[in-house]
Amino acid sequence: MRRDARAFTLIELLVVIAIIAILAAILFPVFARAREAARKTSCLSNVKQLGLGFLMYAQDYDEKLPGIPFGSCPNCWPFQAWYTPHGDWQGVFRIVLPPYMKNQQIYQCPSQSESGRWDDWRDQNQCEHENCGMSYMYNEFMYNSNNGFTKLASLGNAAEGPAKVSMVIEGFSSGIYNDWDNGGPTPKDQDGMSRIRWLNWGPWQQQHGGPNILYADGHAKFMAQDAIVSYRAYAWGGNAQRCVQRPIVYPGCTEP
């Protein structure tokens, strides 16, 4: 006996395609969010590893974090004292930390690329590989030993304690951060925390909704972008009497 094979009709085929399209529209954003969550966790691990490198350095150098007196002599700016091929603010990561890190791939967050950040301030288009891809920044109040916070004992006397003072943060200005940068998209942020708030300089973006932060006691955690607060931007009309920050950048501040 011969049995006739029945093929799909055009209507059935269109229904199947429509169902697949609906499922893709639902699942692709879910997959994208899951992938970004995994990258954020990997980035948090990078920050933690960098923090261990800084603290191991301190154990080898009389309980002092890496730091130099900015501007006190011709060769005492970071881009001169800790020189890298282009000369920039990344010297503390490229020269000081490698003996404690071994793997320089952790210098780049998986969510970031080499474009859209302040990678190499002398030549954005032709930065060498060892100067590109830096996703993390060191607190300038510790980097600049003139501030008096390079010693771990000084951080221990911070108003809120070392567990509240940020030491390494991911951001757009590869190598160094402070609390008086008021750049950002229009309307510009006036609280001095733009290097922390934005992970890409151009265009201004936050890949995973906020930065991962390493604190001076060695623990690391994520902070949502809208949780970042500072009332210390005195140079741009902020209330200088309220030294309140989250995360704390200047160790003399308190948290809201």
Side-chain angles (χ1 to χ4, degrees):
M1 296 177 64
R2 196 184 71 156
R3 179 178 296 175
D4 294 330
R6 182 177 180 275
F8 285 111
T9 66
L10 178 60
I11 297 298
E12 291 172 331
L13 185 60
L14 291 175
V15 169
V16 170
I17 293 174
I19 292 173
I20 293 174
I22 292 171
L23 291 175
I26 295 172
L27 295 177
F28 283 175
V30 174
F31 293 152
R33 287 193 296 270
R35 182 177 62 179
E36 185 55 39
R39 289 175 172 174
K40 182 173 71 174
T41 301
S42 177
C43 184
L44 182 63
S45 175
N46 289 352
V47 171
K48 178 68 174 178
Q49 294 301 313
L50 289 171
L52 291 175
F54 275 99
L55 293 176
M56 285 190 291
Y57 175 97
Q59 294 301 313
D60 288 343
Y61 290 90
D62 299 324
E63 302 293 312
K64 292 181 180 178
L65 294 166
I68 52 177
F70 286 18
S72 61
C73 61
N75 293 318
C76 284
W77 288 97
F79 50 82
Q80 295 168 326
W82 288 325
Y83 188 74
T84 54
H86 283 293
D88 57 29
W89 299 98
Q90 301 174 17
V92 66
F93 291 96
R94 300 302 190 191
I95 306 301
V96 176
L97 286 188
Y100 303 95
M101 304 308 304
K102 305 303 181 184
N103 181 7
Q104 294 195 26
Q105 290 182 346
I106 69 172
Y107 290 155
Q108 182 167 335
C109 173
S111 294
Q112 296 189 27
S113 66
E114 294 181 0
S115 62
R117 294 201 319 282
W118 182 8
D119 290 315
D120 178 77
W121 61 273
R122 293 179 59 180
D123 192 339
Q124 286 281 342
N125 297 320
Q126 297 181 6
C127 58
E128 297 180 9
H129 177 71
E130 62 269 25
N131 262 11
C132 294
M134 172 65 70
S135 302
Y136 304 103
M137 312 177 291
Y138 184 32
N139 189 331
E140 186 169 333
F141 288 102
M142 301 167 198
Y143 205 155
N144 182 358
S145 59
N146 291 328
N147 292 309
F149 295 109
T150 302
K151 294 182 179 180
L152 294 182
S154 298
L155 291 175
N157 294 324
E160 294 277 291
K164 295 293 184 70
V165 179
S166 62
M167 187 167 74
V168 176
I169 297 182
E170 62 172 319
F172 73 75
S173 59
S174 305
I176 194 168
Y177 73 98
N178 49 46
D179 61 355
W180 56 84
D181 190 325
N182 71 328
T186 302
K188 288 189 175 182
D189 298 307
Q190 296 297 311
D191 62 5
M193 304 285 264
S194 61
R195 296 191 188 188
I196 299 169
R197 181 172 284 106
W198 306 103
L199 297 185
N200 267 357
W201 187 26
W204 300 100
Q205 291 180 355
Q206 266 292 7
Q207 283 88 350
H208 35 244
N212 288 301
I213 303 172
L214 183 281
Y215 291 86
D217 71 337
H219 85 280
K221 66 179 181 179
F222 170 80
M223 177 172 287
Q225 182 182 23
D226 58 7
I228 296 172
V229 175
S230 179
Y231 297 109
R232 192 176 177 268
Y234 52 85
W236 294 276
N239 188 341
Q241 303 304 314
R242 294 189 64 198
C243 192
V244 174
Q245 298 180 337
R246 186 174 61 235
I248 293 174
V249 180
Y250 173 59
C253 284
T254 59
E255 270 197 342

